Amino acid sequence: MTADLEQAGYTSLQMVEGLADKAAAVLENLRESAVAARAGERREPTFQIGQAAELVGRTPAAIRDAEKDGRLPKPERGANNRRVGYTLEQVNDMRGIFGTRPWRDPGDPPAIIAVQNFKGGVGKSTVAVHLAQYLAIQGYRVALIDCDSQASATTLFGYVPDLDLTEDETLYPFLRHDERSSLSYALKPTHFDGLYLIPSNLRLFQSEYEIAARMAQGEPGLVDRLSVGLASIAPNFDVIIMDPPPALGAISLSVLRAANALVVPVPPTIMDFSSTTAFLSMLEETLRTLAQFDRAPSLEFLKFVASRVEENKSIHKELIKLMQAIFGHHLVRAPLKNSAEIDNATARLMTVYEQQGAITSKSVRDRCLTYLNAVCKELEIDIRGMWPSHQERLRKEGLV
């Protein structure tokens, strides 16, 4: 009987291994197809002179004048002698020349944002990655940290996590080994100027057990390990965004401990609203427990984002009204609506912000960008509200 059970277990292992290998091979083929369609490399988004001027906060004429007098390099031109779009790096150079970089003052605290919910499928990684890219486009220095072993955020940057990355390129060695003093070893530049990624892969899941076991054995200070790592890289960034696992575990606790702001995506369905209510109860209990050890985080803002919204569903409209009544100013005013543009970009292991044109249609893409930009803009204002050096500018802009 025991031999039969052992044989059944071995057969099950073979079955799972075979399926895992097949799935990994298909994913690698998808990635290679996506890469081939983009001429082998991911490229920065580009902007026409009108878009660049709006991002920089100057007029197109001011940019042309700066190019004429040598403050900016001459623009690249195509075969038809028309200007080639400006890269984000070039836009950021313009910001430096015109003095319009939106960076925080060195005396301002970095915004350390956890995009968190203890339920999967709520659009957590979609919000985290698009927010990070939006802020980079606006000129901020951003780090996106994938703390989830499922590595959805990492995948959206073109990696097949368990093929392209080793555990030494993730949070894993820092969380596991005390001798590392900085997270800088794991920062990877992305194809968005000013945006860096700390990727993840399945190996990070192992650290959940290791950290929990060591904490149970009398090392409660391990919950601060991530905070220490973020402090080591924070001087180089304005905003750090964390995408944690959709569960309450050792890594999620570490993320909560490290964060000074929290963004919670909530699809307007009964099940997701119920799950988020449970999340809030667990969050309250967790914060109380951390407070007992003098480790409760101080949140500068807590925002809920109505995500994956279907504008034609009456139940979604009713639940958004309910969320507005309950969460008040904690609910981002603009909903993040479902869009085929996001779905199609994700299928290409990409995001809407890096697509140079519409995958579906121009009207669908424009609507999608309107939703994304509105959500991200409101969160950007909350971030700037954390910084004393931005208070006067926010008042002048009529935003506070």
Side-chain angles (χ1 to χ4, degrees):
M1 184 68 175
T2 301
D4 290 342
L5 289 174
E6 288 178 352
Q7 179 60 38
Y10 182 69
T11 302
S12 297
L13 177 59
Q14 286 182 311
M15 176 180 66
V16 172
E17 284 179 339
L19 292 173
D21 289 343
K22 288 178 182 178
V26 169
L27 187 57
E28 173 64 7
N29 288 337
L30 286 172
R31 185 183 75 96
E32 288 178 354
S33 297
V35 169
R38 296 193 303 280
E41 289 185 8
R42 294 210 159 191
R43 296 185 295 272
E44 287 186 280
T46 57
F47 309 92
Q48 298 305 309
I49 189 167
Q51 297 171 301
E54 184 177 352
L55 288 171
V56 171
R58 292 293 185 268
T59 64
I63 292 176
R64 291 190 181 97
D65 288 344
E67 289 170 344
K68 287 177 183 177
D69 64 26
R71 284 177 293 155
L72 289 172
K74 296 289 185 183
E76 294 182 51
R77 296 184 180 272
N80 57 2
N81 204 35
R82 292 176 62 88
R83 289 168 180 260
V84 176
Y86 296 95
T87 66
L88 182 54
E89 183 177 9
Q90 290 170 325
V91 169
N92 281 331
D93 288 342
M94 292 181 197
R95 288 177 168 128
I97 294 296
F98 291 120
T100 59
R101 284 181 173 137
W103 296 354
R104 65 183 176 90
D105 187 272
D108 296 333
I112 302 176
I113 303 170
V115 181
Q116 196 154 20
N117 198 321
F118 293 162
K119 181 180 183 299
V122 299
K124 180 173 58 67
S125 296
T126 297
V127 171
V129 174
H130 282 91
L131 178 59
Q133 293 181 348
Y134 169 89
L135 292 171
I137 290 170
Q138 303 309 310
Y140 298 94
R141 300 165 299 171
V142 186
L144 175 62
I145 303 181
D146 195 346
C147 309
D148 186 357
S149 61
Q150 295 182 59
S152 296
T154 300
T155 301
L156 285 175
F157 280 89
Y159 293 101
V160 177
D162 297 296
L163 295 177
D164 297 338
L165 300 162
T166 68
E167 65 183 52
D168 289 336
E169 297 173 272
T170 72
L171 285 174
Y172 183 69
F174 187 86
L175 295 178
R176 184 183 183 190
H177 301 299
D178 290 337
E179 63 266 20
R180 290 183 185 263
S181 60
S182 174
L183 274 174
S184 58
Y185 74 91
L187 286 168
K188 291 184 177 295
T190 71
H191 50 297
F192 280 71
D193 189 55
L195 173 57
Y196 286 75
L197 171 71
I198 293 182
S200 176
N201 64 12
L202 191 59
R203 185 63 175 165
L204 191 61
F205 186 68
Q206 183 65 27
S207 66
E208 286 278 6
Y209 297 102
E210 294 181 11
I211 295 171
R214 290 173 62 186
M215 289 173 64
Q217 292 170 3
E219 296 185 64
L222 280 177
V223 76
D224 289 327
R225 185 69 178 144
L226 182 57
S227 298
V228 172
L230 298 188
S232 71
I233 62 173
N236 299 316
F237 297 101
D238 304 303
V239 184
I240 297 173
I241 298 172
M242 296 179 287
D243 184 13
L248 181 58
I251 291 179
S252 292
L253 281 175
S254 299
V255 167
L256 277 175
R257 171 64 182 144
N260 58 18
L262 186 61
V263 173
V264 184
V266 189
T269 70
I270 295 296
M271 289 185 64
D272 287 301
F273 182 76
S274 175
S275 174
T276 300
T277 302
F279 166 76
L280 286 172
S281 297
M282 295 172 68
L283 179 62
E284 177 189 10
E285 184 178 343
T286 301
L287 293 178
R288 288 184 185 278
T289 302
L290 288 172
Q292 291 175 4
F293 293 94
D294 197 28
R295 286 187 165 88
S298 178
L299 298 178
E300 296 289 337
F301 65 83
L302 166 61
K303 281 296 176 78
F304 297 84
V305 176
S307 60
R308 305 182 69 86
V309 175
E310 295 282 357
E311 56 187 341
N312 296 322
K313 289 186 176 180
S314 58
I315 186 64
H316 282 208
K317 294 178 182 178
E318 292 175 19
L319 282 171
I320 288 176
K321 287 181 180 178
L322 180 63
M323 289 161 61
Q324 289 169 338
I326 294 171
F327 299 140
H329 71 276
H330 293 290
L331 179 68
V332 171
R333 290 186 295 272
L336 183 55
K337 299 183 181 182
N338 257 346
S339 174
E341 196 72 13
I342 292 177
D343 293 340
N344 281 292
T346 301
R348 291 163 170 77
L349 309 182
M350 299 176 75
T351 68
V352 176
Y353 284 132
E354 63 185 297
Q355 293 283 350
Q356 294 304 307
I359 303 175
T360 50
S361 69
K362 185 178 184 302
S363 61
V364 171
R365 175 178 169 77
D366 288 347
R367 283 198 302 272
C368 180
L369 285 172
T370 297
Y371 307 146
L372 280 171
N373 290 342
V375 170
C376 293
K377 179 64 177 178
E378 188 168 338
L379 294 173
E380 179 193 1
I381 293 170
D382 288 323
I383 291 166
R384 294 178 62 196
M386 298 172 58
W387 300 335
S389 68
H390 276 240
Q391 294 304 309
E392 183 61 29
R393 276 180 280 176
L394 286 170
R395 281 191 289 270
K396 288 181 178 178
E397 294 167 20
L399 298 175
V400 295

